[in-house]
Amino acid sequence: GAQGLAVTTSGDEELRSKVVIIAAGGGAFRAGVAAPDNFALEAMPVQSWGLSAVDGAIPVDSATFVTSAPGIFAIGDACDYPGKVRLIVSGCHEAALMAQAVRKMLRPGPRAPLYASTSPILRRRLGIEK
């Protein structure tokens, strides 16, 4: 969380951040997943981060997409929660909710305005409303 997280790459480079976002494709947390040219991917060691992977996905809070470890978020095929639908559009929705949760964590307080299709400001700029 606030103290920062350290992640070491396969090349032994240490990266530090206040948050880690896991957005790996389906099966990234399973050992020996078949890949092109008979290359086998190794399972990501999420257990060493204090996380568990259930059937190839990390359980998350579906409101924020935070995992059981503070500061570590998971979206897309990397995550699982009750009612999860594995569609690309679901991943986009998850990313938007997760981004707001990360923003609140890093910068508490009011957020900058978002322009949604129902935004009066955007509708005025498009000439739909006066």
Side-chain angles (χ1 to χ4, degrees):
Q3 294 83 11
L5 301 164
V7 176
T8 304
T9 69
S10 60
D12 289 329
E13 181 180 359
E14 183 176 274
L15 306 173
R16 293 193 160 275
S17 179
K18 292 183 180 179
V19 299
V20 171
I21 299 167
I22 302 169
F29 307 106
R30 294 181 188 157
V33 174
D37 301 325
N38 295 323
F39 177 75
L41 301 173
E42 292 182 30
M44 294 180 68
V46 294
Q47 293 80 7
S48 67
W49 299 355
L51 301 174
S52 62
V54 178
D55 194 28
I58 301 168
V60 296
D61 174 334
S62 63
T64 61
F65 294 88
V66 71
T67 66
S68 60
I72 301 179
F73 297 79
I75 59 172
D77 288 343
C79 75
D80 192 42
Y81 50 90
K84 167 81 175 186
V85 178
R86 295 196 183 279
L87 295 173
I88 291 173
V89 70
S90 298
C92 295
H93 169 78
E94 294 164 2
L97 293 177
M98 182 268 318
Q100 288 303 308
V102 168
R103 186 216 43 88
K104 286 177 188 174
M105 185 183 116
L106 298 178
R107 288 194 180 157
R111 65 181 166 103
L114 295 177
Y115 293 109
S117 59
T118 58
S119 164
I121 296 169
L122 180 62
R123 292 175 69 80
R124 280 194 297 276
R125 287 185 178 174
L126 293 173
I128 298 170
E129 291 181 6
K130 293 189 184 227

